[in-house]
Amino acid sequence: MQTRVSEMLGVEFPILAFSHCRDVVAAVTNAGAFGVLGAVAHSPEQLEIDLKWIEEETHGKPYGVDLLLPPKYVGADEGGLDRETITQLLPAAQQEFVDDILARYQVPELDDDTQRIVRGGVGMGGIRVSPKGYEPLLDVSFAHNIRLIASALGPPPPDLVERAHASDVVVAALAGTRVHAERHNAAGVDLIVAQGTEAGGHTGEISTMVLVPEIVKAVSPTPVLAAGGIGSGRQVAAAFALGAEGVWCGSIWLTTQEAETHPVVKEKFLAATSKDTVRSRSLTGKPARMLRSAWTDEWESADAPPTLGMPLQSALVAEAQLRINRSSNTKGSGAENLANYFVGQVVGQMDKVKPARQVVLDMVTEYADVLDEFAKQASG
């Protein structure tokens, strides 16, 4: 499974695993693939702890960091907003709507100490999307031995590309359209992730099958990774057939043994079908694929107010989401019905809890079997 991507990153398998969980990142990296830590909600202090831990666990093997670097968000002209300003910008109608959801579903309130912690958080939701928020994370990342830095939302700024290349760090960027990919390519990125609408999290509307070859053609000779609906060796083989030189997977790791996915949400994932996801702005303000639940249904109802722009929507729902997560373990409760998380359509094949290492090895084994099938067909 050697491609330009595996050579560029120094790995055995060009399988990139995006996860907010450091345990998954380390396990995937140790299995011969490439773990990427999603750090948008990290504080600089926590990121320092996690990167140090990953490096101790992987003994010098390569890994990466992923951030959100959107060019458009509320407060972009000011370079970002502080907590007090964000609080003042939250409209009463949206706040009342969230309060009404929590009341109707009988979700218990947080204790006073927890409320103070939440309301004192960065961005009232912990999402660091402005230069003021993400530059300290970049400083921490570049102080460590990262091999890749990825922009999951928007083209990486020129100074980031320059800084990364000066440090021999590969730059990747996710794209949901050909135009986005061409913009990333012009910015000087080394890898472009063509992410189809099947993917979990922030994603566009074009399917992986259509998007990947379109982007491969548009940005050649820049290598392309395929993302969206990839969680098996057959899907890896399909990605290669479309012209990709590696894959970017996120959802498939959410039900691994190492994943920190909330137990109730993990159970929902294991029971879900590929039809049980929806693109919703209800968590971040930008379209993101997640598990359908009472929460997403409420935001799609006729009397729901418009969602807010990033990062205001995250700030609006941060405390509500914590309350839901704290109480969702009660079977049949309103909180359990509301609980959800980002996940792609590949959730329909996530029916067993496995070690992350086993997921990697299963992908590689099945990929090899597919190649054997192709060889037999070709020899006729």
Side-chain angles (χ1 to χ4, degrees):
M1 203 184 283
Q2 287 296 298
T3 67
R4 285 187 297 167
V5 171
S6 56
E7 293 173 2
M8 183 183 296
L9 299 178
V11 294
E12 188 175 359
F13 312 123
I15 298 171
L16 281 72
F18 168 85
S19 177
H20 293 290
C21 175
R22 67 182 191 181
D23 298 73
V24 171
V25 171
V28 169
T29 295
N30 283 331
F34 190 92
V36 182
L37 182 68
V40 66
H42 278 63
S43 67
E45 295 76 18
Q46 187 59 51
L47 184 59
E48 171 66 33
I49 292 171
D50 283 358
L51 296 190
K52 182 179 179 181
W53 184 89
I54 290 170
E55 291 176 348
E56 290 174 348
E57 291 293 312
T58 57
H59 307 290
K61 295 184 180 69
Y63 71 97
V65 171
D66 174 281
L67 294 171
L68 297 182
L69 310 173
K72 297 179 181 179
Y73 56 91
V74 177
D77 292 341
E78 296 83 2
L81 303 174
D82 58 29
R83 182 181 63 83
E84 183 177 350
T85 302
I86 288 177
T87 303
Q88 293 172 352
L89 290 174
L90 299 180
Q94 278 80 355
Q95 295 187 67
E96 290 169 2
F97 181 72
V98 172
D99 290 342
D100 179 63
I101 292 175
L102 297 175
R104 285 190 288 109
Y105 285 83
Q106 300 180 330
V107 180
E109 293 189 7
L110 301 173
D111 59 76
D112 293 341
D113 290 340
T114 305
Q115 279 189 353
R116 280 193 291 272
I117 293 172
V118 173
R119 293 173 183 176
V122 176
M124 291 286 291
I127 305 297
R128 298 169 184 266
V129 297
S130 70
K132 292 178 182 177
Y134 66 66
E135 283 176 356
L137 300 179
L138 289 174
D139 290 339
V140 172
S141 299
F142 282 109
H144 284 266
N145 191 31
I146 63 170
R147 184 70 189 105
L148 174 143
I149 188 79
S151 173
L153 196 61
D159 57 339
L160 171 57
V161 175
E162 183 178 346
R163 182 179 186 181
H165 289 167
S167 302
D168 193 30
V169 171
V170 174
V171 182
L174 278 68
T177 68
R178 175 183 57 78
V179 172
H180 291 162
E182 290 173 338
R183 192 176 300 153
H184 297 335
N185 204 35
V189 305
D190 306 294
L191 286 175
I192 292 176
V193 183
Q195 180 172 270
T197 191
E198 300 94 322
H202 296 108
T203 189
E205 300 177 275
I206 305 172
S207 72
T208 304
M209 179 69 75
V210 172
L211 184 67
V212 173
E214 186 176 338
I215 287 182
V216 167
K217 180 179 180 181
V219 303
S220 179
T222 302
V224 172
L225 301 173
I230 298 172
S232 72
R234 289 193 176 276
Q235 289 157 338
V236 172
F240 285 177
L242 295 174
E245 298 189 52
V247 295
W248 175 283
C249 311
S251 299
I252 196 69
W253 316 107
L254 291 170
T255 52
T256 58
Q257 288 181 0
E258 295 87 349
E260 296 173 347
T261 309
H262 191 289
V264 168
V265 175
K266 185 178 282 190
E267 287 181 13
K268 287 188 174 186
F269 286 168
L270 293 169
T273 72
S274 56
K275 294 175 62 176
D276 295 327
T277 69
V278 62
R279 287 174 77 242
S280 171
R281 296 177 183 266
S282 62
L283 290 181
T284 71
K286 290 185 179 290
R289 188 171 297 283
M290 60 192 70
L291 189 71
R292 181 178 179 180
S293 74
W295 174 266
T296 57
D297 287 347
E298 289 290 343
W299 281 96
E300 292 296 324
S301 64
D303 58 348
T307 54
L308 306 176
M310 179 182 279
L312 299 187
Q313 185 71 14
S314 298
L316 174 73
V317 306
E319 185 173 329
Q321 286 297 308
L322 182 56
R323 285 172 60 179
I324 291 167
N325 290 338
R326 288 284 182 91
S327 304
S328 60
N329 286 318
T330 301
K331 208 70 176 172
S333 66
E336 183 191 29
N337 291 330
L338 291 166
N340 74 338
Y341 192 64
F342 307 106
V343 73
Q345 292 177 336
V346 76
V347 70
Q349 65 192 60
M350 294 157 47
D351 55 2
K352 293 180 182 178
V353 176
K354 300 179 182 179
R357 177 182 180 83
Q358 189 62 51
V359 174
V360 173
L361 297 180
D362 287 348
M363 281 187 189
V364 174
T365 300
E366 187 175 78
Y367 169 78
D369 291 342
V370 171
L371 292 190
D372 286 343
E373 291 177 15
F374 285 168
K376 291 176 182 177
Q377 293 169 7
S379 62

